[in-house]
């Protein structure tokens, strides 16, 4: 979809469908009344006859007789003016785009005049709109061979806006960059694991390293052995595809030694290993590298946005599979940090590979480390699928992430990481066990395990198990991998000082 802007009158718009935003509040604004008059009263007719109340993402399509460059108008509700948020804009336009694409529309015009309510900066309005449109249009079609099964796509979207064009355009450019990165992260998550193995993630990271100031390095098994990454190596034992430890650096502030470290869980398939998972939904475990995909894509976006920050993504990548050589329940393994771990359940593998990555992070003397991981089913039980679990050891970092979550739309909710939980991770015969001794609280005890590997830096952990994958089609987003975490990481990097 090509996105452009125009300062022409919207009545000059040349498109198949014109999208108009409306709010719940009555009476209608002077501006809307004027537009309605020009369009022959269709808005007030729709409100009366179609009982259109302009609730969030409510739509009604109206045909226009003639005399305009467009033949249909889609009225899109944005809810209450006072409650208008960037997320509401993003989901609203997403709903319109998805709907219009289904009805074969190829060219749309969207009218955006000064939005009311809470003060929303122009640049963020434009960014959210372009991002919402492009992520709504995404479909994973690589393996469809029959052309008629392919979805139709919107070719052109033009914003007719009363906002200052230069600033609005800046927002669009950023929105396009971030949306592309999100959609790439979704590609990585949707790719089946017979294609997306650890080497595939390496190829994707190397592709991004072609961008100025980005560098990719990969630790192979031999180097992992030298660095005593025994936890990552143990998880990879049962797999045929070799593990990879990916390091993707962007140096946007070369004179500075400050680093923001992003760590992403890169399990390209999680069968559970010897503690094998039930068959139902096991196919979905191809997205267990969503954290890794998100941090690779975040670096992609940060580099294209040319942010003045040094950021590195660390991705321990492997499959978790059973075999005669696989690690087993009861095994005691080492780790790069030197701590010993009693493996009680081979399905709690994410925390093991993250332990070695979090230890590796130390050498950057990071300002902060944030990990993104589809870590626990318990997090899905606790919070559902609309919000990621957030835990950490530093309240100001937690605060920053909460703010980034609000702005980016990747919403987060903090869970308590109290020391009682850490006690539950002690083993009788090794330093740690990989699952808790107690009942419940699995999202927190997993984080408590990670905390054991963090000594010298501020750290936050995002459990994205519930948010990284969508089993239901949403009006503004298709099924499958969601790309969660990319926008949040970008927002965090932007705010970084
Ligand atoms: N990758 C899973 C967590 C997961 C579950 C992600 C559902 C997305 C959706 C993780 O490796 C895992 O299997 N965790 C176990 C931990 C348990 C053995 C303590 C779990 O959540 O069941
Ligand atoms: Zn697992
Ligand atoms: Zn897993």
């Amino acid at each position: 979809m090509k996105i452009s802007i125009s300062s022409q009158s919207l009545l000059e718009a040349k498109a198949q469908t014109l999208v108009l935003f409306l709010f719940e509040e009555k009476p209608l604004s002077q501006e809307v009344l004027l537009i309605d008059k020009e369009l022959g009263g269709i808005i007030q007719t729709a409100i009366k006859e179609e009982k259109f109340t302009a609730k969030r993402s409510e739509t009604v399509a109206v045909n226009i007789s003639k005399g305009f460059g467009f033949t249909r108008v889609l009225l899109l509700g944005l809810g209450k003016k006072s409650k208008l948020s960037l997320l509401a804009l993003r989901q609203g336009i997403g709903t319109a785009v998805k709907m219009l694409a289904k009805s074969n529309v190829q060219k749309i015009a969207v009218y955006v005049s000064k939005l009311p309510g809470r003060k929303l900066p122009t640049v963020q309005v434009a960014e959210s709109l372009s991002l919402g449109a492009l992520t709504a249009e995404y479909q994973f079609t690589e393996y469809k061979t029959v052309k008629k099964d392919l979805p139709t796509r919107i070719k052109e979207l033009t914003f007719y806006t009363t906002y200052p064009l230069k600033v609005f355009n800046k927002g669009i450019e950023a929105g396009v960059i971030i949306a592309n990165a999100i959609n790439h992260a979704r590609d990585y998550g949707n790719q089946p694991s017979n294609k997306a193995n650890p080497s595939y993630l390496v190829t994707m990271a190397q592709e991004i390293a072609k961008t100025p100031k980005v560098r990719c390095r990969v630790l192979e098994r031999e180097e992992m052995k030298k660095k005593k990454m025994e936890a990552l190596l143990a998880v990879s034992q049962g797999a045929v595809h070799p593990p990879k430890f990916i390091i993707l650096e962007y140096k946007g502030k070369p004179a500075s030694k400050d680093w923001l470290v992003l760590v992403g869980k890169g399990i390209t398939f999680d069968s559970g290993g010897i503690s094998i998972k039930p068959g139902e939904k096991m196919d979905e475990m191809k997205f267990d590298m969503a954290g890794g995909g998100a941090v690779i894509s975040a670096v992609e976006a940060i580099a294209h946005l040319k942010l003045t920050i040094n950021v590195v993504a660390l991705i321990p990548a492997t499959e978790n599979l059973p075999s005669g050589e696989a690690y087993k329940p009861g095994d005691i393994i080492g780790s790069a940090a030197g701590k010993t771990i009693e493996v009680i359940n081979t399905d709690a593998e994410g925390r093991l590979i993250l332990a070695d990555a979090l230890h590796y992070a130390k050498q950057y003397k990071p300002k902060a480390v944030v990990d993104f991981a589809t870590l626990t089913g318990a997090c899905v039980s606790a919070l559902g699928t609309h919000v990621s679990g957030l835990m950490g050891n530093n309240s100001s970092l937690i605060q920053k992430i909460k703010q980034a979550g609000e702005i980016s739309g990747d919403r987060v909710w903090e869970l308590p990481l109290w020391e009682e939980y850490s006690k539950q991770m002690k083993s009788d015969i090794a330093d740690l066990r990989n699952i808790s001794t107690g009942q419940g609280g699995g999202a927190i005890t997993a984080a408590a395990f990670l905390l054991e590997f963090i000594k010298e830096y501020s750290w936050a952990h995002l459990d994205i198990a519930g948010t990284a994958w969508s089993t239901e089609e949403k009006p503004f987003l298709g099924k499958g991998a969601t790309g969660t975490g990319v926008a949040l990481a970008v927002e965090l990097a932007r705010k970084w000082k």
Side-chain angles (χ1 to χ4, degrees):
M1 183 194 314
K2 192 175 154 285
I3 297 185
S4 57
I5 48 175
S6 169
S7 59
Q8 277 188 321
S9 151
L10 87 144
L11 300 173
E12 308 283 311
K14 300 233 173 338
Q16 282 153 294
T17 300
L18 168 69
V19 179
L20 282 179
F21 300 152
L22 289 176
F23 293 92
E24 280 181 49
E25 280 86 348
K26 298 276 142 22
L28 295 172
S29 70
Q30 277 307 316
E31 188 197 23
V32 171
L33 287 173
L34 257 158
I35 295 172
D36 193 32
K37 199 169 159 205
E38 299 281 1
L39 297 177
I42 57 153
I43 298 177
Q44 295 190 73
T45 311
I47 290 172
K48 232 186 273 153
E49 289 179 6
E50 310 276 344
K51 299 199 171 37
F52 180 74
T53 56
K55 286 210 176 49
R56 241 180 97 173
S57 295
E58 185 184 348
T59 52
V60 62
V62 192
N63 288 331
I64 297 280
S65 43
K66 54 181 157 313
F68 296 100
F70 44 90
T71 50
R72 288 186 111 199
V73 173
L74 184 75
L75 303 179
L76 172 68
L78 286 183
K80 290 220 163 61
K81 285 179 187 174
S82 54
K83 287 208 174 143
L84 184 64
S85 63
L86 295 171
L87 192 60
L89 277 179
R90 183 161 141 187
Q91 295 181 348
I93 194 159
T95 304
V97 161
K98 227 164 159 275
M99 201 170 163
L100 293 171
K102 264 195 203 125
S103 47
N104 244 333
V105 174
Q106 301 210 331
K107 211 169 162 184
I108 62 178
V110 179
Y111 180 60
V112 200
S113 72
K114 276 256 187 290
L115 291 163
R118 213 151 40 95
K119 202 177 170 303
L120 300 173
T122 308
V123 70
Q124 287 184 359
V125 165
E127 181 176 309
S128 296
L129 287 172
S130 56
L131 197 148
L134 289 168
T135 49
E137 221 224 353
Y138 171 90
Q139 307 235 18
F140 185 65
T141 54
E142 193 178 321
Y143 298 95
K144 290 270 184 205
T145 62
V146 181
K147 209 161 186 291
K148 72 170 177 31
D149 289 348
L150 289 175
T152 53
R153 298 200 157 234
I154 292 173
K155 291 206 170 75
E156 256 183 87
L157 184 158
T158 309
F159 289 109
Y160 288 77
T161 181
T162 56
Y163 279 103
L165 288 197
K166 228 175 140 180
V167 189
F168 200 86
N169 206 29
K170 251 193 124 181
I172 289 180
E173 279 170 12
V176 171
I177 287 172
I178 300 167
N180 285 340
I182 291 175
N183 288 343
H184 289 150
R186 294 165 80 187
D187 275 342
Y188 308 155
N190 287 327
Q191 282 290 359
S193 73
N194 60 339
K195 169 143 180 194
N197 54 41
S199 306
Y200 167 89
L201 290 182
V202 168
T203 311
M204 295 301 113
Q206 283 169 340
E207 196 53 42
I208 290 158
K210 291 177 184 162
T211 321
K213 301 183 182 171
V214 182
R215 190 168 77 122
C216 178
R217 280 178 297 142
V218 180
L219 306 185
E220 305 290 341
R221 200 176 249 142
E222 280 314 304
E223 285 128 303
M224 291 175 203
K225 281 187 188 154
K226 279 191 205 137
K227 293 194 174 349
K228 300 214 170 351
M229 294 182 158
E230 291 170 19
L232 171 58
L233 286 165
V235 175
S236 74
Q237 262 168 230
V240 170
H241 292 294
K244 306 278 173 181
F245 189 91
I246 305 169
I247 303 154
L248 187 63
E249 285 177 354
Y250 165 69
K251 269 193 169 171
K253 202 177 180 186
S256 160
K257 285 206 164 69
D258 290 347
W259 284 94
L260 170 64
V261 181
L262 306 173
V263 176
K265 172 177 172 181
I267 295 289
T268 57
F269 186 72
D270 184 9
S271 69
I274 297 292
S275 315
I276 199 155
K277 288 179 180 293
E280 199 192 341
K281 289 199 169 190
M282 200 206 269
D283 58 303
E284 288 180 4
M285 280 301 125
K286 64 178 183 174
F287 86 96
D288 209 20
M289 36 52 67
V295 298
I296 291 177
S297 301
V299 171
E300 175 192 346
I302 290 166
H304 283 122
L305 290 167
K306 302 190 174 75
L307 300 187
T308 41
I309 182 178
N310 298 328
V311 52
V312 56
L314 304 176
I315 304 99
T318 178
E319 299 179 304
N320 184 22
L321 290 171
S323 89
E325 287 180 286
Y327 79 137
K328 305 175 292 299
D331 285 2
I332 296 180
I333 59 173
S335 63
K339 295 201 179 192
T340 55
I341 306 160
E342 185 186 7
V343 177
I344 309 293
N345 188 317
T346 62
D347 198 10
E349 83 299 338
R351 59 198 77 185
L352 299 175
I353 67 167
L354 289 173
D356 282 346
L358 291 168
H359 180 75
Y360 188 89
K362 245 195 325 200
Q363 66 190 268
Y364 285 88
K365 298 191 172 50
K367 283 267 162 202
V369 177
V370 185
D371 79 70
F372 297 76
T374 47
L375 206 59
T376 66
C379 191
V380 193
S381 305
L383 296 176
T385 57
H386 306 296
V387 65
S388 302
L390 167 64
M391 284 144 276
N393 66 355
N394 179 292
S395 56
S396 104
L397 178 62
I398 294 273
Q399 209 46 42
K400 280 199 179 90
I401 292 181
K402 284 179 179 171
Q403 281 164 5
E406 258 327 290
I407 295 175
S408 65
D410 286 338
R411 290 181 292 180
V412 298
W413 197 258
E414 190 181 357
L415 300 172
L417 190 49
W418 295 326
E419 55 189 39
E420 287 87 339
Y421 297 102
S422 297
K423 290 199 185 117
Q424 292 173 218
M425 302 309 288
K426 302 275 182 243
S427 158
D428 292 338
I429 54 171
D431 297 333
L432 295 166
R433 43 190 283 138
N434 79 331
I435 64 168
S436 136
T437 51
Q439 283 282 303
I444 305 175
T445 51
F449 179 90
L450 299 179
L451 181 63
E452 295 290 331
F453 295 87
I454 288 136
K455 286 282 175 290
E456 292 150 27
Y457 52 74
S458 302
W459 158 77
H461 157 64
L462 283 155
D463 194 329
I464 58 170
T467 48
W469 186 262
S470 176
T471 41
E472 64 173 311
E473 181 94 9
K474 300 202 172 111
F476 53 88
L477 207 75
K479 282 185 197 179
T482 62
T484 194
V486 178
L488 184 146
V490 170
E491 199 49 44
L492 192 65
R494 275 172 162 170
K495 292 271 149 54
W496 208 257
K497 285 279 157 359

